[in-house]
Amino acid sequence: MNFRTETRRPPLSSLLLVGVSLVLAACGPAGDSGEAATGRSGGESYPALPGGTELGADLAASPDPFPDDPTLWPSIREERIRTLLGPAMARAGVDAWVVLARENANDPIAGHIGAENAGGLAAFLFFADGDGNLSSLALSPETESTALAEVSPLDEVRAVPRGTNLYEALADELRARDPRVIAVNSSRRNIADGLSWTQRENLEEALGPELTGRLISSEDVVVEWLAVKLPREVEIMARAAALTERLELEAYATIVPGETTDADVARFLKMRMAELGVTDGWAPSQNPNVNSGPDRGHSHSTEKVIEPGDVIQTDFGIKVHDIWVTDIQRFAYVLRPGETEAPPEMQERWEAAREGSRASFEAMRPGVTGWDVDKAQRDVLEARGSIPIIWGTGHPVGYWAHDLGPGLSGAARGRTEPATARELQPGHTFAFDGFFGWTREDGTTKTISVEEMAVVTEDGAEWLIPPQEEWVLVGGR
């Protein structure tokens, strides 16, 4: 069944819930309890997540759907360090991880290890054995160590007396512990590349040739650690995804074909974000990307007028609690005069995109690679007659719209790359598209890329919110 929006434009101040009930069910049913029909069970660690429709409506109607909680991130961060970091280091084959923190030009990982308030140079050290048992230590200037000790998620904060060379103190600690493999933040991935050239020089000088020879990039540690999300984090992301979807549906309800522009829809979403106290999931100038014309890739919304017969893409993400982000795309078809549903060829395209999405979802399970998930969709695209799709099926999402972890791509090129060869693990969260593309009459292309979010579980995957099942229909009477 398709669901139609109304062809009227009320004042923006009254658009909170106008017309939304007419489009909600296009994105899947909720059970009697309001919980999502989430597909395969994820075991005890990942219980059924709240539904996207009823929950989204409640969140959108709230004046503060994600109220500030200063204890939330510190408690989750501490749990992440305590339960996930040691195993991540063991999987990466790393015995010690060294992070240097400082004010004004801090390491990008600082907020994840409790180093965000560094003033003078400080060292955050993590040690793990082969079983993933973790111990941690911060070496901090004595003028700052007292405050750090009161809030640090690490096991110990040790004051470094004024005038002490911190690099030498760090080297002494490493010599005493004698780790075989020492990871430092030098990498081609920016989140694991916080060690400056000068810091690296000073560190190697203090370590000497033998310990310097044990240094490797922390990239594998950082990816292995940050890619896995705790159940508490997945719950937050599911709530945020429900709100993201709801706002997209509200925005579609404001469209008057022949009058409303793509940028009008984007401005409505920006207004709702401001009202609800959430921020952009990625670059503000390109969020949301509303596009009723030919393919534009990642871009800003333009003043193109939305016309009957258009297919509208809305690629939209929000950030909540200043930590977690979403990435959801909902697609709409604009009815022509006399139409009550999408024409057969458009419906076939939608069904092909939906089939590709479901094939990708069914392929997600621990132990498969990102390439495997992408290949599952590529097989559908070929069978259904899509034009070649240049974009990968999906990507990790969580702390950033394009987060760390396995890339769901590579099959179109017929080869794996380091990111696509990584195996999926329970707790990995992804945004992934259901694709189908065609060539328009003017020679340009249009691609359906309906985007969902899912979490990998012990035995498969689970939708964060119910996926979009049918076109959202705009216009018509």
Side-chain angles (χ1 to χ4, degrees):
M1 181 180 295
N2 293 304
F3 293 81
R4 182 177 302 112
T5 64
E6 296 185 357
T7 56
R8 56 195 178 97
R9 180 186 289 171
L12 287 180
S13 60
S14 67
L15 280 171
L16 181 60
L17 295 175
V18 169
V20 177
S21 62
L22 299 176
V23 296
L24 274 177
C27 299
D32 292 340
S33 65
E35 293 186 339
T38 50
R40 297 193 299 273
S41 170
E44 294 182 0
S45 296
Y46 288 88
L49 297 169
T53 54
E54 295 180 16
L55 175 63
D58 291 342
L59 292 170
S62 169
D64 191 9
F66 293 91
D68 182 51
D69 179 358
T71 68
L72 179 63
W73 173 241
S75 68
I76 288 177
R77 176 174 63 187
E78 187 277 332
E79 183 180 355
R80 290 187 53 80
I81 292 172
R82 176 172 49 82
T83 64
L84 299 179
L85 180 53
M89 292 176 65
R91 290 194 300 272
V94 167
D95 304 305
W97 179 29
V98 176
V99 181
L100 296 178
R102 59 181 176 177
E103 65 180 349
N104 299 331
N106 210 350
D107 192 295
I109 204 72
H112 289 268
I113 61 171
E116 65 273 16
N117 294 322
L121 184 67
F124 291 71
L125 312 179
F126 304 90
F127 302 93
D129 62 22
D131 295 325
N133 299 306
L134 184 77
S135 62
S136 54
L137 165 68
L139 302 176
S140 173
E142 61 181 349
T143 54
E144 302 168 17
S145 59
T146 300
L148 177 61
E150 292 173 351
V151 298
S152 177
L154 276 62
D155 297 331
E156 179 186 356
V157 175
R158 187 180 303 165
V160 177
R162 184 183 296 272
T164 301
N165 184 310
L166 185 129
Y167 293 101
E168 292 294 346
L170 167 58
D172 289 343
E173 186 68 27
L174 291 175
R175 290 190 190 98
R177 295 184 182 247
D178 196 29
R180 295 168 300 171
V181 180
I182 306 168
V184 294
N185 289 357
S186 296
S187 170
R188 290 182 175 86
R189 301 296 297 267
N190 56 5
I191 188 62
D193 194 36
L195 190 67
S196 74
W197 178 274
T198 302
Q199 288 176 323
R200 179 82 184 228
E201 281 189 327
N202 291 336
L203 177 61
E204 292 186 359
E205 181 180 357
L207 293 178
E210 182 179 356
L211 286 180
T212 294
R214 305 181 191 183
L215 299 181
I216 67 167
S217 170
S218 66
E219 180 174 320
D220 283 345
V221 172
V222 173
V223 172
E224 288 286 339
W225 183 39
L226 295 189
V228 176
K229 304 301 186 285
L230 295 169
R232 292 169 64 193
E233 296 181 280
V234 176
E235 176 76 13
I236 293 167
M237 291 170 61
R239 290 171 59 82
L243 178 59
T244 304
E245 175 197 65
R246 176 69 178 209
L247 296 183
E248 292 187 49
L249 299 178
E250 286 186 16
Y252 281 140
T254 70
I255 294 173
V256 178
E259 297 181 23
T260 306
T261 69
D262 292 347
D264 287 334
V265 179
R267 283 187 283 267
F268 172 83
L269 286 168
K270 288 290 195 184
M271 179 199 73
R272 292 294 282 127
M273 288 170 60
E275 290 175 348
L276 295 169
V278 298
T279 56
D280 289 286
W282 54 85
S285 64
Q286 294 191 347
N287 181 53
N289 174 19
V290 181
N291 177 26
S292 62
D295 290 331
R296 289 171 52 85
H298 295 107
S299 64
H300 59 277
S301 303
T302 72
E303 296 295 342
K304 178 196 172 298
V305 175
I306 297 169
E307 301 287 358
D310 282 345
V311 169
I312 313 173
Q313 168 198 24
T314 298
D315 189 0
F316 180 47
I318 63 173
K319 177 180 281 190
V320 300
H321 298 298
D322 202 32
I323 298 289
W324 297 277
V325 305
T326 63
D327 188 1
I328 296 284
Q329 293 187 53
R330 290 293 176 254
F331 272 73
Y333 174 75
V334 185
L335 294 168
R336 295 184 173 94
E339 290 182 335
T340 58
E341 60 185 12
E345 70 274 13
M346 201 63 75
Q347 186 62 25
E348 289 176 7
R349 292 163 180 165
W350 171 260
E351 291 171 359
R354 185 178 59 196
E355 183 181 343
S357 169
R358 303 309 182 264
S360 298
F361 177 76
E362 292 296 330
M364 292 183 190
R365 61 179 58 86
V368 306
T369 68
W371 190 94
D372 295 326
V373 177
D374 189 44
K375 181 63 164 57
Q377 172 152 225
R378 300 292 163 183
D379 291 344
V380 173
L381 289 171
E382 183 176 358
R384 296 299 294 259
S386 171
I387 64 172
I389 303 298
I390 63 173
W391 299 284
T393 287
H395 52 82
V397 64
Y399 303 126
W400 304 274
H402 293 168
D403 205 338
L404 301 176
L408 309 182
S409 59
R413 296 184 294 277
R415 66 179 188 275
T416 60
E417 298 174 354
T420 66
R422 288 188 180 273
E423 294 184 355
L424 277 63
Q425 300 176 35
H428 283 178
T429 48
F430 293 100
F432 67 102
D433 299 357
F435 287 128
F436 187 85
W438 65 95
T439 301
R440 303 183 347 150
E441 292 181 358
D442 62 2
T444 61
T445 63
K446 186 68 178 183
T447 302
I448 298 170
S449 55
V450 59
E451 190 167 22
E452 310 293 350
M453 291 175 63
V455 59
V456 178
T457 64
E458 294 292 341
D459 57 3
E462 190 172 297
W463 305 103
L464 263 63
I465 60 173
Q468 182 175 353
E469 297 290 352
E470 299 290 350
W471 288 110
V472 175
L473 296 180
V474 172
R477 302 297 291 182

